Amino acid sequence: MESFRISFINLFWLYLRFSEDHGGRCSDTVWQLPEPTISHLDAVSDKQSLVVSWLLNHSSSAGGINEIQISRTEDHVIIYNKNVSARSVGSHGYQWTWTSDLPLECVDHFVRVRHFDNRSVPSPWSKWKANSVPPQKPRNLSCATSSMTTVTCTWDPGRKQHPHDRNKRTYTLHVENTDLAPIKCQTWSCTFPSIPHLNEYNVTVVVKDKLGEEAESYSFNISDRVFPVAEWDSVSPGVTDANMSWIIQGNLTQLLCQLTVNTKATTVLNCSGINGPCKVKVEHLLPSTHYSTRVRCSANGMLWGNWTQPEPFTTYPLVTLNLWRKIKQLSYPYTRQVTLLWKMDASGSATTETAKAYTVQWWPEGKNKTVWTDGGQTQAEVSIGPQQCDFTVKAVLHAGSSIPAHITIPKLDDRENLPEEKRLSSGSAAGFNLSWSEWDEPTCGYTVEWCILGDPVSPLQWKHIPEGNNTLLLPAGHFKPGCRYTFNIYGCTENGHRLLEIQTGYSQELGAVPSPSLVEPVQTTSSSVTLEWRYSEDDPSHVAFITGYLVSVKEVGPNMLPCHSTAMDVFNVSVADPRRKSVTVEGLKQSQEYTFCVSALTKNGPGQPTSITITTRTNYSAQLVKILTFTLFLLSCIILLWCQRKLLKRRLTEVFVYPAGMSIKTPELISFLQQTGERVPSHKMEECITCDIEILNSHRPLLKPSTLRDPVFMSTQFSDSSLSPLCVVPVKDYCPHSVTPPCERPALQQITCMTNRSYFYPMVDESSQTRGEMTSSEVKPSFDLSDGQQSSCTVTYGYVSNDTL
């Protein structure tokens, strides 16, 4: 009857809502009240009553009628349905109390309510509100193990017990097929130890209170109910990766685990919890990035354990090491010194990152060796043997470490020959554009190293080139003009680097190269000069490549111009080979002074000159030819004049021969002078001091010779009787020992003789006795006149004494 009543009311409400007026026009839709909400359902055990409180969600419903339904059990058997006037609580709340005819502890009660308004149909029913007091049967009972040593069963206890409910519930778990005693459990779970070698389990969970009990049973195979429990051991982030490890509870083997990073990727891996923590390395992460990771595991791939709590971590900044090496052979056999060089490269937020230290590791002969260096150092020296050796260098940062850098030193090969050096053309404004022959063997690209050649303090620079690329452009801003750079190109293999090519060049060649050093003495001839000089054309300190030499030649004169002058009197000789250091300059004048200037040539022109002045030799062959030519000419003249020798002789005699009849005997004169010097030792011949001359006049014929005082005439004879009578003609400044040219005079002509008185006597005073000792009788005449001549000419001889002065 009650159910029919409820159905009738519902049908009536629907009729009113969808009815139409008589005119065929749809009537206005009846406005419906909102659904009430039961806020509280409190049980008062001592009065066996329920206190219901609800809210109306619209103010227009105030003052209406409320319909309340009460049911028992979960099937909602209606035991009470009545329209009531509820007491208003607040602006929209109502409260109503109902007394049960049965104890509330015996059965569960459910309440719902709806509201009626005078102007509308009733509101929808509220949701059922339960007052649970007989215990509820456990729901969703399940058992599992995480370590194969204990089993944990869980269930849903259902409705919560009211805080003021004094009817306490107890939960007990029974393992039916074992000897285990009943286990007291918590409200929603229970744990018991597993039985060795037992796989099948039957369990029952019993819940009891004062009003009764409920039970739920469950059967399972323990091997199928394994849920591994993972716990984080460590998370060690790197720059682009992270090392993670976790521990599995219990002795579980052959586990399958899932790991996620930021829930975007899942990594599945096999691990075992017996041998220690499970480990994995997650790669391809971004530097300086925040991540979160979690993991879960399964024993059979079907049942998975719970995810661990998210573990946050942040990757380190990107810091890498650009590693290279230098190898030097030591004097000790088979010992090499390896100098490891590195640069720290950082990007993004790591640009300000500094290293606290560096670690260098290598494995000589299978032994691990480690060297720590200070953070301010960027190189390390290590001595190794002839074997191949691998090195690893890593920077220790304030937050983690850098990506390790590896390099392999190849084994010592004494047969390796250095490649031939190639010369680069001068760099352009863009810099050096290097290229090399592609090598088939490299597996890890190429490495190009460079430095200023000949500069020991110049730092070694290098750059790694990826495989498949054999060109490199180096900006000009990294290089100094006028400095020679050497580029060593290495091919990289798994066994180390091999030197492929050596190239040298300048980013910009300059012209101020030093002057050569000339070698002396210089070889000269009358028409050529051979110059030699010393010069180191391969000296790396030069500011340009030496392409040859320039020799400038210039005649020395008052207006001599400097070297390299463009004047017309300068000519140049070029040497195109820079290794040739000598040249012969030909076409020069003999006995001429020249200046030679020698300078080294570059592509920009000549450098500083060095000069030397040289005089060419005299050509004696040409002089000899001239003399011979003159001699032949003279002989030709003599031959031509030989035919006229008689006439020539007569003419010469007239000019050069003594007067006719006069014969001067030189030996007799010398003998007379010696005898006179012996007799008069104090009177020696001296230079004519005075020019006083005294003239002696002779008489006409002199038939006999008189005393001769002049020794000069004593040695003179006139022996030529064939000549005509001659006489001595007075000559001015005549001295007795001089030759008087002959002349013809009349027989009666007077003859004058001039003598110098100081010729026979010295200037010193002498006694008259000494001066008078010499008489005319002591001087003998040394010549006679012939008979024919005595009759035609008379000569008077005499001298001037000192007494007359």
Side-chain angles (χ1 to χ4, degrees), residues 522-537:
V522 178
Q523 300 179 8
T524 61
T525 66
S526 60
S527 61
S528 66
V529 171
T530 300
L531 296 175
E532 294 184 10
W533 57 88
R534 298 186 183 94
Y535 201 74
S536 178
E537 67 279 0

Side-chain angles (χ1 to χ4, degrees), residues 480-491:
K480 299 178 181 179
C483 294
R484 185 185 300 184
Y485 291 85
T486 178
F487 299 89
N488 296 329
I489 302 170
Y490 293 85

Side-chain angles (χ1 to χ4, degrees), residues 283-303:
E283 298 180 333
H284 308 296
L285 302 179
L286 298 177
S288 304
T289 305
H290 299 286
Y291 290 95
S292 177
T293 182
R294 59 180 185 163
V295 66
R296 69 177 183 176
C297 296
S298 173
N300 54 13
M302 298 179 62
L303 300 177

Side-chain angles (χ1 to χ4, degrees), residues 199 203 495 548 617 685 768 783:
N199 293 328
V203 297
N495 297 323
R617 296 184 178 183
M685 292 186 298
S768 60
F783 61 93

Side-chain angles (χ1 to χ4, degrees), residues 9-20:
I9 294 174
N10 291 333
L11 289 174
F12 179 74
W13 176 77
L14 290 174
Y15 171 78
L16 293 176
R17 185 171 184 180
F18 295 104
S19 63
E20 298 180 356

